[in-house]
Amino acid sequence: MQFGHFEDQKKEYVISNCRTPLPWINYLGSDEFFALLSNTGGGYAFYKDAKLRRITRYRYNNLPLDQDGFHIYIKEKDVIWNPGWQPSKTELDSYECRHGLGYSIITGTKNKLSVRQELYVPKYDNILLMRVTVNNTSDQPKNVDLFSFVEFCLWDAQDDTTNFQRNYSTGEVEVEGSNIYHKTEYRERRNHYAVFFANKKIDSFDTSRDSFMGLYGSPSSPEAVENGRCNDSIAHGWQPVGAHHIHLQLQANETYDVIFGLAYVEVPEKEKFIAPGIINKAPAKKLIARYDNNKKFDAGMKKLRQFWDELLQGFEVRTQNEKVDRMVNIWNAYQCMVTFNMSRSASYYESGIGRGMGFRDSCQDLLGFVHMIPERARERILDIAATQKADGGAYHQYQPLTKKGNSDIGGGFNDDPLWLIACTDAYIRETGDWDILKEKVDFDNDPKNAAPLLEHLRRSFNYTLNNLGPHKLPLIGRADWNDCLNLNCFSRYPGESFQISGPSEGPVAESVFIAGMFVKYGKAYSEILKHLKKNKEAKEAIRAVQDMEKAVLKDGWDGRWFLRAYDAFGKKVGSRYNDEGKIFIEPQGMCIMAGIGVESGEAQKALDSVQERLETKYGIVLQNPAYTTYRLNLGEISSYPPGYKENAGIFCHNNPWIVFAETIMGHGNRAFELYKKTCPAFLEEISEIHRTEPYVYCQMVAGKDAPTFGEGKNSWLTGTAAWTFTVLTQGILGIQPDYEGLKVDPCIPDYVKEYKVNRRFRNTMYHITIRNESGAQKGVKKILVDRKQIEGKIIPVCDKKNVKVEVII
Ligand code: GLC
Ligand code: GLC
């Protein structure tokens, strides 16, 4: 069942049934100010950091669901309704929500009154804009009351939901004309406030929640709305809110519009007040003045659309499959940008309070956006590297506001350092900017401890070598990519961390997955050294890589697939000798991507085993058979009921690793078949089962052992976005940025006869046509660059603006 449809021309997803199986959301903002917005007007806003600078409240597991947000209430006669349907849930005569790139438009109609809510965050300004257009489509005059409503968060989202004894007394506001200022804690250490404005004259307002809602009132029918006017309340403590009320008398066919805006404003320390206790509103007014009429609102929207159009033009495909095209050209790329901005911090499933930016997460996300925003990717790499520890290890997470490593969780996740090589390598291939390696970067954010980025890569590489176990395989530490495979923690008591309790790091438990990573990214590292003419070091690196490869084939091979790990007692994990958890997806994907066993036959056997034991109609489960009991020696993985999350869920993130592996083996048919299984555009028609948004990936789909097999969870913030984008564009469509040029090496289904790609690469636009007349799956026969045949598969970098490329396979 579908709840909407794609409109590719406009780059929009159009939701026509408001009762989506879950809130289907969009991200507004692409610089420093962000708002999440659901299809029924729910959501929340923050500046930079969803924990430390939260602007509005959101109750994630609330009942009813998704009540907090940016709602508009309409009252006509005795009927109260919202254009987005929630929170009143009054039946609408028509409803539509268009989620576009960085904006959304929600339209509801009721009794011949149409109300449209257009929301976006303009480029480079810290403000959420919302234009409300009311149209009386009847032939009679109408009397209508219109209300806006937001509930402020007292900045620190953690404190806001826990420390009530204090924060019920701190709330403060000021109101001037149509502007409502939220200034809690501004009197003391904060230099920022929020302002909620309207560009038209208002008839009344409220800033006290109790006053607007009524003491025991509910968002579905606030008392002020029922009464047809607000109470001009001024909040002192408790719950400060912002509500505007405008009374409208609309003639037949008359249209009225008003622009609301919610802004974050910082004021220099010395200019904070204009009189005792009275805040300096000048910077707010300046900002508001940039968006206070329709012309300015439209211009901001136009600029935003241009921004996205230009960004996406750098990679456009025309295959004969519209679903593939819309993923590459629009939604998968868009999701990659959202993960760039958010890492795993703020979604409807990540509260923005628990974790900041993940070290490995941000490194992997970069693979998906480096071609769109290379400058910001560069900055990101340097930021991440600066949190690396001096021994080459890494803080597992860092806070976006401070960019400092998070010492609560600390380090010891032994895959982390190698992801730094992965993203730096991807960046250099994309940009050719070798100078980044000379950039001086702190260790542990300590300027006294700065060294060139290359030194960071060296320590990442050596970190693995300095932490080998009894089989000469890498020690796993607290966990590797699989945060829930905790072989050293022995978390025994409720509430104890699975990752950082107990001994948590040990000298025995080893990861075959990290071994695969070391081979893959170790090869890249040695290529980098070669390029820098550090030949001796490059050779040593390759020797270490070869040793690791041998160790994997000797002690990391289980006969028909790659083993997952050795636990703290030296026992096998992910082996035919285990009763449950016999085979895991991660080492199969990573080892084959690293090239291990490709020539000698193990790779093919492993892929056959994946197909036989892990593949389902909705994708590949993480392991099998699922653990049916909690196991102290394995940790969090066995804490989940069978079929969920890491315990045999379909973890979408590592499905593309198997797709990559299939392309390495030359299996274009298989690769595409697997690609489709988790791709949201291909799941749109079963939205009642899949439940999450059909335009973005979710982290996890319930596996075959789960009662809710096929149900997605945790949409948006997942490494799946970057990896699926990368596997489709590089592995399948075969457009691979390389050090010296753009490599073309597709691996496609044999029935695909032709497709076209426009790819911006180092200031040149490549217009590539790939022809497959012979019905092959892989194997480039000939490449013509501006009609001249070249040797090999790499189109050398040139200084032309446009280049025409023809590829025959
Ligand atoms: C989550 C984490 C990621 C981890 C994965 C598997 O997606 O953000 O870092 O690799 O789970 O446990
Ligand atoms: C990852 C896993 C999640 C686990 C968390 C612990 O995000 O997906 O299941 O709780 O890591 O850090």
Side-chain angles (χ1 to χ4, degrees):
M1 179 182 172
Q2 287 188 208
F3 294 79
H5 63 274
F6 288 95
E7 273 189 27
D8 296 338
Q9 274 304 321
K10 292 189 168 159
K11 305 193 176 84
E12 288 175 346
Y13 192 79
V14 189
I15 300 164
S16 44
N17 180 346
C18 55
R19 291 174 173 81
T20 46
L22 289 164
W24 282 3
I25 73 161
N26 193 12
Y27 279 83
L28 315 183
S30 47
D31 302 299
E32 302 189 322
F33 186 102
F34 300 98
L36 284 71
L37 180 77
S38 78
N39 59 304
T40 60
Y44 59 100
F46 59 93
Y47 169 74
K48 273 193 187 174
D49 190 315
K51 178 178 180 183
L52 301 173
R53 290 285 188 281
R54 184 79 65 119
I55 295 167
T56 61
R57 284 190 176 149
Y58 193 80
R59 299 165 188 84
Y60 294 84
N61 52 5
N62 204 11
L63 184 80
L65 194 62
D66 196 30
Q67 300 287 289
D68 311 315
F70 311 100
H71 296 301
I72 292 298
Y73 290 93
I74 300 294
K75 179 179 189 252
E76 190 189 353
K77 298 198 179 119
D78 284 335
V79 186
I80 292 174
W81 59 282
N82 310 95
W85 178 60
Q86 285 244 65
S88 71
K89 297 198 189 69
T90 302
E91 215 50 54
L92 297 172
D93 297 337
S94 76
Y95 158 90
E96 182 188 87
C97 169
R98 292 177 174 266
H99 282 323
L101 307 185
Y103 68 90
S104 293
I105 305 170
I106 298 174
T107 314
T109 65
K110 180 86 192 164
N111 300 333
K112 302 220 159 131
L113 188 72
S114 138
V115 180
R116 188 174 67 206
Q117 218 176 329
E118 295 166 274
L119 301 101
Y120 75 95
V121 174
K123 285 300 292 172
Y124 314 119
D125 271 329
N126 297 324
I127 188 166
L128 168 67
L129 295 167
M130 172 164 86
R131 177 166 61 191
V132 177
T133 309
V134 185
N135 185 3
N136 175 4
T137 57
S138 76
D139 50 16
Q140 299 295 318
K142 275 178 182 284
N143 266 306
V144 175
D145 289 293
L146 181 153
F147 299 83
S148 69
F149 179 72
V150 299
E151 181 175 355
F152 295 112
C153 178
L154 308 182
W155 301 115
D156 182 323
Q158 167 92 48
D159 197 69
D160 187 65
T161 44
T162 46
N163 193 8
F164 306 113
Q165 62 78 24
R166 168 180 159 81
N167 63 36
Y168 280 179
S169 293
T170 55
E172 287 190 302
V173 299
E174 277 182 44
V175 180
E176 194 188 84
S178 303
N179 299 352
I180 296 171
Y181 295 87
H182 174 231
K183 57 169 192 177
T184 301
E185 291 191 347
Y186 187 80
R187 59 166 52 248
E188 25 137 344
R189 295 153 298 170
R190 295 191 182 276
N191 66 346
H192 44 267
Y193 56 73
V195 54
F196 187 36
F197 80 91
N199 75 334
K200 297 268 165 83
K201 208 177 140 318
I202 57 174
D203 292 293
S204 64
F205 66 86
D206 266 318
T207 67
S208 144
R209 194 180 77 184
D210 287 351
S211 181
F212 182 75
M213 288 291 170
L215 183 51
Y216 288 94
S218 121
S220 65
S221 190
E223 224 171 75
V225 181
E226 281 176 3
N227 295 338
R229 83 171 281 123
C230 296
N231 306 301
D232 296 353
S233 61
I234 296 291
H236 302 285
W238 299 110
Q239 333 280 358
V241 300
H244 303 99
H245 159 236
I246 300 171
H247 180 73
L248 301 174
Q249 283 175 307
L250 293 174
Q251 296 310 310
N253 291 315
E254 191 183 337
T255 300
Y256 168 90
D257 58 62
V258 49
I259 296 168
F260 296 104
L262 176 66
Y264 169 90
V265 178
E266 282 182 3
V267 189
E269 197 58 40
K270 287 205 186 93
E271 299 160 24
K272 273 174 69 173
F273 298 95
I274 49 161
I278 306 297
I279 66 174
N280 177 358
K281 304 177 184 69
K285 287 182 184 160
K286 227 168 118 186
L287 173 56
I288 292 169
R290 288 208 277 280
Y291 300 101
D292 61 359
N293 66 34
N294 283 333
K295 212 170 138 202
K296 298 177 193 172
F297 182 98
D298 291 332
M301 179 73 117
K302 195 168 157 212
K303 245 168 72 188
L304 182 70
R305 286 181 196 264
Q306 275 167 355
F307 164 79
W308 279 106
D309 286 345
E310 272 163 37
L311 205 61
L312 298 180
Q313 266 161 21
F315 204 130
E316 273 178 341
V317 302
R318 260 172 297 147
T319 69
Q320 267 122 42
N321 191 318
E322 62 168 7
K323 293 179 178 159
V324 168
D325 293 1
R326 72 168 60 112
M327 286 316 295
V328 183
N329 298 342
I330 308 168
W331 293 100
N332 200 172
Y334 183 55
Q335 189 178 1
C336 286
M337 285 298 288
V338 171
T339 62
F340 161 71
N341 288 319
M342 300 289 138
S343 188
R344 304 295 167 270
S345 67
S347 73
Y348 264 38
Y349 309 90
E350 306 276 11
S351 67
I353 297 173
R355 31 181 182 177
M357 314 277 281
F359 189 98
R360 80 158 79 85
D361 295 327
S362 292
C363 288
Q364 286 172 86
D365 292 344
L366 201 133
L367 309 177
F369 62 73
V370 57
H371 66 287
M372 287 186 275
I373 44 166
E375 305 78 29
R376 296 180 77 185
R378 186 181 211 272
E379 184 191 336
R380 177 60 56 81
I381 291 172
L382 301 177
D383 283 349
I384 299 171
T387 69
Q388 186 177 29
K389 299 181 175 196
D391 69 352
Y395 285 98
H396 197 45
Q397 288 160 17
Y398 70 100
Q399 236 14 79
L401 193 70
T402 61
K403 296 185 176 178
K404 291 231 164 80
N406 175 345
S407 42
D408 291 347
I409 178 123
F413 295 74
N414 285 352
D415 63 316
D416 276 337
L418 290 171
W419 293 114
L420 184 64
I421 302 184
C423 68
T424 308
D425 180 57
Y427 170 80
I428 295 176
R429 285 175 197 258
E430 181 65 41
T431 59
D433 171 18
W434 291 91
D435 283 346
I436 191 174
L437 295 169
K438 297 186 197 147
E439 206 69 53
K440 277 228 171 174
V441 188
D442 298 349
F443 280 101
D444 208 346
N445 291 106
D446 180 356
K448 287 199 294 296
N449 248 336
L453 182 64
L454 180 66
E455 179 59 24
H456 285 255
L457 302 193
R458 184 177 290 126
R459 292 196 204 171
S460 288
F461 182 81
N462 289 336
Y463 181 84
T464 304
L465 291 178
N466 294 337
N467 288 282
L468 296 179
H471 302 91
K472 297 275 174 254
L473 293 166
L475 291 172
I476 197 167
R478 290 173 169 172
D480 60 19
W481 174 88
N482 190 331
D483 269 332
C484 298
L485 190 61
N486 317 120
L487 304 181
N488 291 310
C489 295
F490 303 97
S491 178
R492 192 183 286 274
Y493 301 105
E496 229 175 34
S497 164
F498 288 108
Q499 282 81 24
I500 56 175
S501 62
S504 99
E505 292 170 55
V508 177
E510 298 169 296
S511 162
V512 178
F513 172 79
I514 302 181
M517 267 191 93
F518 181 81
V519 174
K520 179 166 166 58
Y521 298 115
K523 284 178 183 167
Y525 173 62
S526 129
E527 287 290 316
I528 290 173
L529 291 172
K530 243 195 276 172
H531 183 96
L532 300 175
K533 306 241 165 3
K534 297 183 186 296
N535 290 329
K536 186 160 160 276
E537 212 187 334
K539 266 197 202 131
E540 280 164 20
I542 269 303
R543 218 169 292 134
V545 164
Q546 286 162 351
D547 289 347
M548 188 66 79
E549 219 166 328
K550 280 186 207 135
V552 170
L553 289 172
K554 180 166 171 285
D555 290 314
W557 177 247
D558 197 56
R560 301 210 56 86
W561 56 81
F562 292 98
L563 194 71
R564 179 64 176 85
Y566 287 93
D567 72 10
F569 310 101
K571 294 225 174 67
K572 291 179 176 177
V573 179
S575 154
R576 67 198 140 127
Y577 298 112
N578 297 127
D579 59 337
E580 293 175 341
K582 286 172 187 285
I583 169 172
F584 280 65
I585 189 174
E586 306 101 307
Q588 323 311 327
M590 191 50 80
C591 291
I592 301 173
M593 287 199 290
I596 305 175
V598 171
E599 307 279 287
S600 47
E602 288 86 354
Q604 187 53 54
K605 279 189 199 153
L607 286 175
D608 291 343
S609 301
V610 167
Q611 182 166 16
E612 188 189 318
R613 290 168 184 261
L614 299 180
E615 192 174 334
T616 77
K617 65 176 166 176
Y618 298 128
I620 303 166
V621 297
L622 194 143
Q623 46 97 355
N624 182 260
Y627 295 112
T628 51
T629 54
Y630 179 57
R631 300 175 184 226
L632 209 50
N633 63 321
L634 301 179
E636 186 169 1
I637 187 168
S638 60
S639 74
Y640 291 109
Y644 294 105
K645 296 280 284 181
E646 283 84 342
N647 190 15
I650 297 158
F651 225 86
C652 299
H653 185 139
N654 42 36
N655 274 246
W657 297 347
I658 299 297
V659 178
F660 248 128
E662 292 287 2
T663 64
I664 286 168
M665 306 303 287
H667 305 154
N669 290 343
R670 273 291 288 158
F672 189 59
E673 190 184 315
L674 286 173
Y675 168 81
K676 283 192 295 191
K677 287 193 173 190
T678 55
C679 180
F682 288 89
L683 301 171
E684 190 191 13
E685 282 147 44
I686 55 154
S687 287
E688 79 283 10
I689 299 172
H690 186 62
R691 298 188 71 207
T692 52
E693 296 91 334
Y695 39 92
V696 292
Y697 283 90
C698 59
Q699 180 206 50
M700 194 269 309
V701 173
K704 57 186 173 182
D705 307 288
T708 58
F709 181 36
E711 178 189 47
K713 276 189 195 137
N714 305 358
S715 55
W716 283 96
L717 302 186
T718 161
T720 314
W723 275 105
T724 48
F725 188 85
T726 313
V727 82
L728 182 69
T729 57
Q730 300 191 16
I732 297 176
L733 300 174
I735 312 299
Q736 305 165 7
D738 212 326
Y739 305 117
E740 312 299 338
L742 195 60
K743 186 170 168 188
V744 185
D745 193 12
C747 181
I748 53 174
D750 50 15
Y751 54 81
V752 172
K753 296 284 167 260
E754 186 186 299
Y755 62 97
K756 288 175 191 290
V757 180
N758 288 339
R759 171 67 152 95
R760 193 186 301 127
F761 179 70
R762 312 224 193 140
N763 302 325
T764 302
M765 193 60 142
Y766 293 87
H767 307 267
I768 309 171
T769 305
I770 290 118
R771 287 203 190 85
N772 178 26
E773 272 134 29
S774 64
Q777 295 183 46
K778 192 167 183 168
V780 167
K781 285 196 204 132
K782 192 158 86 177
I783 298 183
L784 303 174
V785 178
D786 283 337
R787 289 167 189 255
K788 275 208 216 80
Q789 189 164 346
I790 60 160
E791 285 289 315
K793 298 176 195 163
I794 298 181
I795 310 163
V797 178
C798 66
D799 50 19
K800 289 188 201 159
K801 278 253 150 310
N802 289 287
V803 168
K804 211 173 140 210
V805 182
E806 292 161 84
V807 180
I808 311 290
I809 60 171

